[in-house]
Amino acid sequence: MKNIQTHLEKAIEVNPEFSDAHYELALLLIDQDERELAKKHLLKVIKIDSNFMMAHFHLALLFQKNEDNKKSKEFFIKAIELDPNFADTYYQYGL
């Protein structure tokens, strides 16, 4: 996994606006329980592309885990607005 992380970080170094690299790195960091750093990359994704629904979804999950219900709700609602057919958002929002 370290090799993957190194390549994603290099991709971001080469192109700091590469939203997919930020997103994939955030998912990797979530798996490594590096929530704060993952949150930083997910927020960068949204700054680059405010319509990146999965970034909103994963941010909502991170805030949910941190018991920040207000922020979690905000990101779940935005994810639903962006893709009302993504059933996992409704499921996770209901938990």
Side-chain angles (χ1 to χ4, degrees):
M1 281 227 231
K2 187 64 176 164
N3 198 24
I4 295 167
Q5 184 171 346
T6 301
H7 289 294
L8 290 169
E9 289 169 347
K10 183 64 176 177
I12 292 167
E13 180 184 320
V14 171
N15 180 2
E17 302 299 306
F18 191 0
S19 61
D20 288 334
H22 282 283
Y23 175 73
E24 293 298 331
L25 181 55
L27 296 183
L28 186 64
L29 292 166
I30 290 168
D31 285 345
Q32 296 171 3
D33 204 30
E34 295 283 341
R35 293 181 191 170
E36 287 304 311
L37 193 52
K39 185 168 44 171
K40 174 185 161 205
H41 284 282
L42 290 170
L43 288 168
K44 179 67 174 180
V45 171
I46 291 171
K47 183 177 179 186
I48 296 166
D49 179 2
S50 63
N51 294 321
F52 201 123
M53 188 280 292
M54 291 302 291
H56 289 276
F57 175 73
H58 284 284
L59 271 167
L61 293 175
L62 282 175
F63 282 112
Q64 187 178 56
K65 285 181 182 176
N66 289 337
E67 298 183 11
D68 186 339
N69 295 328
K70 183 178 178 187
K71 282 285 197 185
S72 178
K73 178 180 178 181
E74 174 186 326
F75 285 105
F76 276 131
I77 288 171
K78 185 62 178 179
I80 289 168
E81 287 174 7
L82 292 171
D83 187 354
N85 296 314
F86 188 64
D88 280 356
T89 305
Y90 297 100
Y91 172 75
Q92 293 294 334
Y93 186 29
L95 294 179

